[in-house]
Coordinates of all heavy atoms in Angstrom, one line a residue:
M43 N 0.9 -1.2 0.0 CA 0.0 0.0 0.0 C 0.9 1.2 0.0 O 1.8 1.4 0.8 CB -0.9 0.0 1.2 CG -1.7 1.2 1.3 SD -3.0 1.2 2.6 CE -2.1 1.0 4.1
T44 N 0.7 2.1 -0.9 CA 1.4 3.4 -1.0 C 0.4 4.5 -0.8 O -0.7 4.4 -1.0 CB 2.1 3.5 -2.3 OG1 1.2 3.6 -3.3 CG2 3.1 2.4 -2.5
G45 N 1.0 5.6 -0.4 CA 0.1 6.8 -0.2 C 0.9 7.8 0.5 O 2.1 7.7 0.8
R46 N 0.3 8.9 0.9 CA 0.9 10.0 1.6 C 0.4 10.1 3.0 O -0.7 9.6 3.3 CB 0.7 11.3 0.8 CG -0.7 11.7 0.7 CD -0.8 13.0 -0.1 NE -2.2 13.4 0.1 CZ -3.0 13.8 -0.8 NH1 -2.6 13.9 -2.1 NH2 -4.2 14.1 -0.6
V47 N 1.2 10.6 3.9 CA 0.8 10.8 5.3 C -0.3 11.8 5.4 O -0.3 12.8 4.8 CB 2.1 11.2 6.1 CG1 1.7 11.5 7.5 CG2 3.2 10.2 6.0
L48 N -1.3 11.4 6.3 CA -2.3 12.3 6.6 C -1.7 13.4 7.4 O -1.2 13.2 8.5 CB -3.4 11.6 7.4 CG -4.6 12.5 7.9 CD1 -5.4 13.1 6.7 CD2 -5.5 11.7 8.8
A49 N -1.7 14.7 6.9 CA -1.1 15.8 7.6 C -2.0 16.8 8.1 O -3.1 17.0 7.5 CB -0.1 16.4 6.6
C50 N -1.6 17.5 9.2 CA -2.4 18.5 9.8 C -2.4 19.7 8.8 O -1.4 20.1 8.3 CB -1.8 18.9 11.1 SG -2.6 20.4 11.9
P51 N -3.6 20.3 8.5 CA -3.7 21.5 7.6 C -3.0 22.7 8.2 O -2.7 23.7 7.5 CB -5.1 21.7 7.4 CG -5.8 21.0 8.5 CD -4.9 19.9 9.0
R52 N -2.8 22.7 9.5 CA -2.2 23.9 10.2 C -0.7 23.9 10.2 O -0.1 24.8 9.8 CB -2.8 24.1 11.6 CG -4.2 24.6 11.6 CD -4.7 25.0 13.0 NE -6.1 25.4 12.9 CZ -6.8 25.6 14.0 NH1 -6.3 25.4 15.2 NH2 -8.1 26.0 13.8
C53 N -0.2 22.8 10.8 CA 1.3 22.7 11.0 C 2.0 21.7 10.1 O 3.2 21.7 10.1 CB 1.6 22.4 12.5 SG 1.3 20.7 12.9
R54 N 1.2 20.9 9.3 CA 1.7 19.9 8.4 C 2.4 18.7 9.0 O 3.0 17.9 8.3 CB 2.7 20.6 7.4 CG 2.1 21.7 6.6 CD 0.8 21.5 5.9 NE 0.9 20.5 4.9 CZ -0.2 19.9 4.4 NH1 -1.4 20.2 4.9 NH2 -0.1 18.9 3.5
D55 N 2.3 18.6 10.4 CA 2.8 17.3 11.0 C 1.8 16.2 10.8 O 0.6 16.5 10.3 CB 3.0 17.5 12.5 CG 4.3 18.2 12.9 OD1 5.1 18.5 12.0 OD2 4.5 18.3 14.1
A56 N 2.2 15.0 11.1 CA 1.3 13.8 10.9 C 0.1 13.9 11.8 O 0.2 14.5 12.9 CB 2.1 12.6 11.1
A57 N -1.0 13.3 11.4 CA -2.2 13.2 12.2 C -2.6 11.8 12.5 O -2.4 10.9 11.6 CB -3.3 14.0 11.5
D58 N -3.3 11.6 13.6 CA -3.9 10.3 13.9 C -5.3 10.3 13.6 O -6.0 11.4 13.6 CB -3.7 10.0 15.4 CG -2.3 9.7 15.8 OD1 -1.5 9.3 15.0 OD2 -2.0 9.8 17.0
V59 N -5.9 9.1 13.3 CA -7.4 9.0 13.0 C -8.0 8.5 14.3 O -7.5 7.5 14.9 CB -7.6 8.1 11.8 CG1 -9.1 7.9 11.7 CG2 -7.1 8.7 10.6
V60 N -9.1 9.1 14.7 CA -9.9 8.7 15.9 C -11.3 8.5 15.5 O -11.9 9.3 14.8 CB -9.8 9.8 17.0 CG1 -10.6 9.4 18.2 CG2 -8.4 10.1 17.4
V61 N -11.9 7.3 15.9 CA -13.3 7.0 15.6 C -14.0 7.2 16.9 O -13.8 6.5 17.9 CB -13.4 5.6 15.1 CG1 -14.9 5.3 14.8 CG2 -12.6 5.4 13.8
D62 N -14.9 8.2 16.9 CA -15.7 8.4 18.1 C -17.0 7.6 18.0 O -17.6 7.5 16.9 CB -16.1 9.9 18.2 CG -14.9 10.8 18.4 OD1 -14.0 10.4 19.2 OD2 -14.9 11.9 17.9
G63 N -17.5 7.1 19.1 CA -18.7 6.3 19.0 C -19.2 6.0 20.4 O -18.6 6.5 21.4
T64 N -20.3 5.3 20.4 CA -20.8 4.9 21.7 C -20.4 3.4 22.0 O -20.3 2.6 21.1 CB -22.4 4.9 21.7 OG1 -22.9 4.1 20.7 CG2 -22.9 6.3 21.4
V65 N -20.1 3.2 23.3 CA -19.8 1.9 23.7 C -20.6 1.6 25.0 O -20.8 2.5 25.8 CB -18.3 1.7 24.0 CG1 -17.9 0.4 24.6 CG2 -17.5 2.0 22.8
H66 N -21.0 0.4 25.2 CA -21.8 0.0 26.3 C -21.0 -0.9 27.2 O -20.7 -2.0 26.8 CB -23.1 -0.6 25.9 CG -23.9 0.2 24.9 ND1 -24.6 1.3 25.2 CD2 -24.0 0.1 23.6 CE1 -25.1 1.9 24.1 NE2 -24.8 1.1 23.1
D67 N -20.8 -0.5 28.4 CA -20.1 -1.4 29.4 C -21.2 -2.0 30.3 O -21.9 -1.2 31.0 CB -19.1 -0.6 30.3 CG -18.0 0.0 29.5 OD1 -17.7 -0.5 28.4 OD2 -17.3 0.9 30.0
V68 N -21.3 -3.3 30.3 CA -22.3 -4.0 31.1 C -21.5 -4.6 32.3 O -20.8 -5.5 32.2 CB -23.0 -5.1 30.3 CG1 -24.0 -5.8 31.2 CG2 -23.7 -4.5 29.1
W69 N -21.8 -4.0 33.5 CA -21.1 -4.4 34.7 C -21.9 -5.5 35.5 O -21.4 -6.2 36.3 CB -20.9 -3.2 35.6 CG -19.8 -2.4 35.1 CD1 -19.9 -1.3 34.3 CD2 -18.4 -2.5 35.3 NE1 -18.7 -0.8 34.0 CE2 -17.7 -1.5 34.7 CE3 -17.6 -3.5 36.0 CZ2 -16.3 -1.4 34.7 CZ3 -16.2 -3.3 36.1 CH2 -15.6 -2.3 35.4
G70 N -23.2 -5.6 35.2 CA -24.0 -6.6 36.0 C -24.4 -6.1 37.3 O -24.5 -4.9 37.6
A71 N -24.4 -7.0 38.3 CA -24.9 -6.7 39.7 C -24.0 -5.7 40.3 O -22.8 -5.6 40.1 CB -25.0 -8.0 40.5
A72 N -24.5 -4.9 41.2 CA -23.8 -3.9 41.9 C -24.2 -3.8 43.4 O -25.3 -4.3 43.7 CB -24.0 -2.5 41.3
V73 N -23.4 -3.2 44.2 CA -23.7 -3.1 45.7 C -23.5 -1.6 46.0 O -22.7 -0.9 45.4 CB -22.8 -3.9 46.6 CG1 -23.1 -5.4 46.3 CG2 -21.3 -3.6 46.4
I74 N -24.2 -1.2 47.1 CA -24.0 0.2 47.6 C -23.1 0.0 48.9 O -23.6 -0.6 49.8 CB -25.3 0.8 48.0 CG1 -26.2 0.9 46.7 CG2 -25.1 2.2 48.6 CD1 -27.6 1.4 47.0
D75 N -21.9 0.6 48.8 CA -21.0 0.5 49.9 C -21.5 1.3 51.1 O -22.3 2.2 50.9 CB -19.6 0.8 49.5 CG -18.9 -0.3 48.8 OD1 -19.4 -1.5 48.9 OD2 -17.8 -0.1 48.2
D76 N -20.8 1.2 52.2 CA -21.2 2.0 53.4 C -21.0 3.5 53.2 O -21.6 4.3 53.9 CB -20.3 1.5 54.6 CG -20.6 0.1 55.1 OD1 -21.8 -0.4 54.8 OD2 -19.7 -0.6 55.6
D77 N -20.1 3.8 52.3 CA -19.8 5.2 52.0 C -20.8 5.8 51.0 O -20.8 7.0 50.6 CB -18.4 5.5 51.5 CG -18.1 4.7 50.3 OD1 -18.9 4.0 49.7 OD2 -16.9 4.8 49.8
G78 N -21.8 5.0 50.6 CA -22.9 5.4 49.7 C -22.5 5.3 48.2 O -23.3 5.7 47.4
V79 N -21.3 4.8 47.9 CA -20.9 4.7 46.5 C -21.4 3.4 45.9 O -21.2 2.3 46.6 CB -19.4 4.9 46.4 CG1 -18.9 4.7 44.9 CG2 -18.9 6.2 46.9
V80 N -21.9 3.4 44.7 CA -22.3 2.2 44.0 C -21.1 1.6 43.3 O -20.4 2.3 42.6 CB -23.5 2.5 43.0 CG1 -23.8 1.2 42.2 CG2 -24.7 3.0 43.7
R81 N -20.8 0.3 43.6 CA -19.7 -0.4 43.0 C -20.2 -1.7 42.4 O -21.0 -2.4 42.9 CB -18.6 -0.6 44.0 CG -18.0 0.7 44.5 CD -16.7 0.4 45.3 NE -16.0 1.7 45.6 CZ -16.3 2.5 46.6 NH1 -17.3 2.2 47.4 NH2 -15.6 3.6 46.8
P82 N -19.6 -2.1 41.2 CA -19.9 -3.3 40.6 C -19.4 -4.5 41.4 O -18.3 -4.4 42.0 CB -19.3 -3.3 39.2 CG -18.1 -2.4 39.4 CD -18.6 -1.4 40.4
V83 N -20.1 -5.6 41.4 CA -19.6 -6.9 42.0 C -18.5 -7.5 41.2 O -17.5 -7.9 41.7 CB -20.8 -7.9 42.2 CG1 -20.3 -9.2 42.7 CG2 -21.8 -7.3 43.1
A84 N -18.7 -7.5 39.8 CA -17.7 -8.0 38.9 C -16.4 -7.1 38.9 O -16.6 -5.9 39.0 CB -18.3 -8.2 37.5
K85 N -15.3 -7.6 38.6 CA -14.1 -6.8 38.5 C -13.8 -6.3 37.1 O -13.0 -5.5 36.8 CB -12.8 -7.7 38.9 CG -12.9 -8.2 40.3 CD -12.8 -7.0 41.3 CE -12.9 -7.5 42.7 NZ -13.2 -6.5 43.7
K86 N -14.6 -6.9 36.1 CA -14.4 -6.5 34.7 C -15.7 -6.4 34.0 O -16.6 -7.2 34.2 CB -13.5 -7.5 34.0 CG -13.1 -7.1 32.6 CD -12.1 -8.1 32.1 CE -11.6 -7.7 30.7 NZ -10.7 -8.6 30.1
A87 N -15.9 -5.4 33.2 CA -17.1 -5.2 32.5 C -17.2 -6.0 31.2 O -16.1 -6.2 30.6 CB -17.3 -3.7 32.2
E88 N -18.3 -6.3 30.7 CA -18.5 -6.9 29.4 C -18.8 -5.7 28.5 O -19.7 -4.9 28.7 CB -19.7 -7.8 29.4 CG -20.0 -8.5 28.2 CD -21.1 -9.5 28.3 OE1 -21.4 -10.0 29.4 OE2 -21.8 -9.8 27.3
V89 N -18.0 -5.5 27.4 CA -18.1 -4.4 26.6 C -18.8 -4.8 25.3 O -18.5 -5.7 24.6 CB -16.6 -3.9 26.2 CG1 -16.7 -2.7 25.3 CG2 -15.9 -3.5 27.5
W90 N -19.8 -3.9 25.0 CA -20.6 -4.1 23.8 C -20.3 -2.9 22.8 O -20.4 -1.8 23.3 CB -22.1 -4.2 24.1 CG -22.5 -5.4 24.9 CD1 -22.3 -5.6 26.2 CD2 -23.2 -6.5 24.4 NE1 -22.7 -6.8 26.6 CE2 -23.3 -7.4 25.5 CE3 -23.6 -6.9 23.1 CZ2 -23.9 -8.6 25.3 CZ3 -24.3 -8.1 23.0 CH2 -24.4 -9.0 24.1
G91 N -20.0 -3.2 21.6 CA -19.8 -2.1 20.6 C -21.1 -1.4 20.4 O -22.2 -1.9 20.5
G92 N -20.9 -0.1 20.1 CA -22.1 0.7 19.9 C -22.1 1.2 18.4 O -21.7 0.6 17.5
E93 N -22.5 2.5 18.3 CA -22.6 3.1 17.0 C -21.5 4.1 16.8 O -21.1 4.8 17.7 CB -24.0 3.8 16.9 CG -25.2 3.0 17.0 CD -26.4 3.8 17.1 OE1 -26.4 5.0 16.8 OE2 -27.5 3.2 17.4
E94 N -21.0 4.1 15.5 CA -20.0 5.1 15.2 C -20.7 6.5 15.1 O -21.7 6.6 14.5 CB -19.4 4.7 13.8 CG -18.3 5.6 13.4 CD -17.8 5.1 12.1 OE1 -17.2 4.0 12.0 OE2 -18.0 5.7 11.0
I95 N -20.1 7.5 15.7 CA -20.6 8.8 15.7 C -20.0 9.7 14.6 O -20.6 10.3 13.8 CB -20.5 9.5 17.1 CG1 -21.4 8.7 18.1 CG2 -21.0 10.9 17.0 CD1 -21.2 9.2 19.5
R96 N -18.6 9.7 14.7 CA -17.9 10.4 13.7 C -16.5 10.0 13.6 O -16.0 9.3 14.6 CB -17.9 11.9 13.9 CG -17.1 12.4 15.0 CD -17.0 13.9 15.1 NE -16.2 14.3 16.2 CZ -15.5 15.4 16.3 NH1 -15.7 16.3 15.3 NH2 -14.8 15.7 17.3
I97 N -15.8 10.3 12.5 CA -14.4 10.0 12.4 C -13.7 11.3 12.3 O -14.0 12.2 11.5 CB -14.1 9.1 11.1 CG1 -14.9 7.8 11.2 CG2 -12.7 8.9 10.9 CD1 -14.9 7.0 9.9
R98 N -12.6 11.5 13.1 CA -11.9 12.7 13.1 C -10.4 12.5 13.0 O -9.9 11.4 13.3 CB -12.3 13.6 14.3 CG -11.9 12.9 15.6 CD -12.5 13.8 16.8 NE -12.5 13.0 18.0 CZ -11.5 13.1 18.9 NH1 -10.6 14.0 18.8 NH2 -11.5 12.4 20.0
A99 N -9.7 13.5 12.7 CA -8.2 13.4 12.7 C -7.7 14.4 13.7 O -8.3 15.4 14.0 CB -7.7 13.9 11.3
V100 N -6.6 14.0 14.4 CA -6.0 14.8 15.5 C -4.5 14.9 15.2 O -3.8 13.9 15.0 CB -6.2 14.1 16.8 CG1 -5.6 14.9 18.0 CG2 -7.7 13.9 17.1
C101 N -4.0 16.1 15.2 CA -2.6 16.4 14.9 C -1.8 15.8 16.1 O -2.1 15.9 17.2 CB -2.4 17.9 14.9 SG -0.6 18.3 14.6
T102 N -0.7 15.1 15.7 CA 0.2 14.5 16.7 C 1.2 15.5 17.3 O 1.9 15.1 18.3 CB 1.0 13.3 16.1 OG1 1.7 13.8 15.0 CG2 0.0 12.2 15.6
N103 N 1.3 16.7 16.8 CA 2.2 17.7 17.3 C 1.6 18.3 18.6 O 0.5 18.9 18.6 CB 2.4 18.8 16.3 CG 3.3 19.9 16.8 OD1 3.5 20.1 18.0 ND2 3.8 20.7 15.8
D104 N 2.3 18.1 19.8 CA 1.8 18.5 21.1 C 1.5 20.0 21.1 O 0.7 20.5 21.9 CB 2.7 18.1 22.2 CG 2.6 16.6 22.5 OD1 1.6 16.0 22.1 OD2 3.6 16.1 23.0
D105 N 2.2 20.8 20.3 CA 2.0 22.3 20.3 C 0.9 22.7 19.5 O 0.4 23.8 19.6 CB 3.3 23.0 19.8 CG 4.5 22.8 20.8 OD1 4.2 22.7 22.0 OD2 5.6 22.7 20.3
C106 N 0.4 21.8 18.7 CA -0.8 22.1 17.8 C -2.1 21.5 18.2 O -3.0 22.1 18.6 CB -0.4 21.7 16.3 SG -1.7 22.0 15.1
R107 N -2.1 20.1 18.2 CA -3.3 19.3 18.6 C -4.6 19.7 17.8 O -5.6 19.5 18.4 CB -3.5 19.3 20.1 CG -2.3 18.8 20.9 CD -1.9 17.4 20.5 NE -2.9 16.4 20.9 CZ -2.8 15.1 20.6 NH1 -1.8 14.7 19.9 NH2 -3.7 14.3 21.1
H108 N -4.4 20.3 16.6 CA -5.6 20.6 15.9 C -6.5 19.4 15.6 O -5.9 18.3 15.4 CB -5.2 21.3 14.5 CG -6.3 21.6 13.6 ND1 -7.3 22.5 14.0 CD2 -6.6 21.2 12.4 CE1 -8.1 22.6 12.9 NE2 -7.7 21.8 12.0
Q109 N -7.8 19.5 15.6 CA -8.7 18.4 15.3 C -9.7 18.8 14.2 O -10.1 19.9 14.2 CB -9.5 18.0 16.6 CG -8.6 17.5 17.7 CD -9.4 17.1 18.9 OE1 -10.5 16.6 18.7 NE2 -8.9 17.3 20.1
W110 N -10.0 17.9 13.4 CA -11.0 18.1 12.3 C -11.7 16.9 11.9 O -11.2 15.8 12.1 CB -10.3 18.8 11.1 CG -9.4 18.0 10.4 CD1 -9.6 17.2 9.2 CD2 -8.0 17.7 10.7 NE1 -8.5 16.6 8.8 CE2 -7.5 16.8 9.7 CE3 -7.1 18.1 11.7 CZ2 -6.2 16.4 9.7 CZ3 -5.8 17.6 11.7 CH2 -5.4 16.8 10.7
T111 N -12.9 17.0 11.4 CA -13.7 15.9 11.0 C -13.1 15.4 9.7 O -12.9 16.1 8.7 CB -15.2 16.3 10.7 OG1 -15.7 16.7 12.0 CG2 -16.0 15.1 10.2
L112 N -12.8 14.1 9.6 CA -12.3 13.5 8.4 C -13.4 13.3 7.4 O -14.4 12.6 7.7 CB -11.6 12.1 8.8 CG -10.7 11.5 7.8 CD1 -9.5 12.4 7.5 CD2 -10.2 10.1 8.3
R113 N -13.2 13.9 6.3 CA -14.3 13.8 5.2 C -14.0 12.8 4.2 O -14.9 12.4 3.4 CB -14.5 15.2 4.6 CG -15.1 16.2 5.6 CD -15.5 17.5 4.9 NE -16.3 18.3 5.8 CZ -15.7 19.2 6.6 NH1 -14.4 19.3 6.6 NH2 -16.5 19.9 7.4
R114 N -12.8 12.3 4.1 CA -12.5 11.2 3.2 C -13.0 9.9 3.8 O -13.1 9.7 5.0 CB -11.0 11.1 3.0 CG -10.5 12.3 2.2 CD -9.0 12.1 2.1 NE -8.4 13.3 1.4 CZ -8.2 13.4 0.1 NH1 -8.5 12.3 -0.7 NH2 -7.6 14.4 -0.4
R115 N -13.2 8.9 3.0 CA -13.6 7.5 3.5 C -12.4 6.9 4.3 O -11.3 7.0 3.9 CB -13.9 6.7 2.3 CG -14.5 5.3 2.7 CD -14.8 4.5 1.5 NE -13.6 4.0 0.9 CZ -13.5 3.5 -0.3 NH1 -14.6 3.4 -1.0 NH2 -12.4 3.1 -0.8
F116 N -12.7 6.3 5.4 CA -11.7 5.7 6.3 C -12.0 4.2 6.2 O -13.1 3.8 6.6 CB -11.8 6.2 7.7 CG -10.8 5.6 8.6 CD1 -9.5 5.7 8.4 CD2 -11.3 4.8 9.7 CE1 -8.6 5.0 9.3 CE2 -10.5 4.2 10.5 CZ -9.1 4.3 10.4
E117 N -11.0 3.4 5.9 CA -11.1 2.0 5.8 C -10.2 1.3 6.7 O -9.0 1.6 6.7 CB -10.8 1.5 4.4 CG -11.9 0.8 3.7 CD -11.5 0.5 2.2 OE1 -10.4 0.1 2.0 OE2 -12.4 0.6 1.4
T118 N -10.7 0.4 7.6 CA -9.8 -0.3 8.5 C -9.3 -1.6 7.7 O -10.0 -2.1 6.9 CB -10.5 -0.7 9.8 OG1 -11.7 -1.5 9.4 CG2 -10.9 0.5 10.6
P119 N -8.2 -2.1 8.1 CA -7.7 -3.3 7.4 C -8.5 -4.5 7.8 O -9.1 -4.6 8.9 CB -6.2 -3.5 8.0 CG -6.1 -2.6 9.1 CD -7.2 -1.5 9.1
T120 N -8.6 -5.4 6.8 CA -9.4 -6.6 7.0 C -8.5 -7.7 7.5 O -7.3 -7.8 7.1 CB -10.1 -7.1 5.8 OG1 -9.2 -7.2 4.7 CG2 -11.2 -6.0 5.3
A121 N -9.0 -8.6 8.4 CA -8.2 -9.7 8.9 C -8.0 -10.7 7.8 O -8.9 -11.0 6.9 CB -9.0 -10.3 10.0
P122 N -6.8 -11.3 7.8 CA -6.5 -12.3 6.7 C -7.3 -13.6 6.8 O -7.8 -13.9 7.8 CB -5.0 -12.6 6.9 CG -4.7 -12.1 8.2 CD -5.7 -11.1 8.7

C-alpha cells in the first residue's frame, strides 16, 4: 500500500485518526457500599460495541493538537 501521510492542515505534522462512538459497558450486579458509592460486584465489564458517531483526525504535534472531521472515506484493514 502506498500513499501519503495524513497531515495537519495547520502545521503539516502527521495526524492520527480517531473514531468516536458509543460503547456500552455492562457491569452486571452492583452493591451500595457503606460510604454510599455504588460499585460493581464484577471486576471487569462486558463491553458491547455501539454506533459510530464520527471519524476525526487529530494532529500529533503537542504544540498544535488541531482536530478536524475526516471527510475522506476511512477503511480499516481486514483480517487475513
Side-chain angles (χ1 to χ4, degrees):
M43 176 171 62
T44 61
R46 59 180 194 229
V47 173
L48 177 64
C50 173
R52 288 192 180 164
C53 73
R54 305 307 297 161
D55 276 4
D58 289 338
V59 174
V60 178
V61 178
D62 295 321
T64 59
V65 175
H66 308 283
D67 294 342
V68 179
W69 286 93
V73 295
I74 302 173
D75 279 346
D76 294 335
D77 58 3
V79 177
V80 177
R81 292 190 170 85
V83 174
K85 299 293 182 200
K86 188 174 181 182
E88 185 177 332
V89 179
W90 293 75
E93 298 174 11
E94 183 179 292
I95 296 173
R96 76 174 179 152
I97 301 172
R98 60 188 167 100
V100 179
C101 181
T102 57
N103 180 341
D104 289 334
D105 294 327
C106 179
R107 300 304 289 174
H108 177 61
Q109 300 182 32
W110 66 98
T111 299
L112 193 62
R113 290 193 172 87
R114 294 179 182 264
R115 185 178 74 196
F116 176 65
E117 237 176 43
T118 57
T120 56

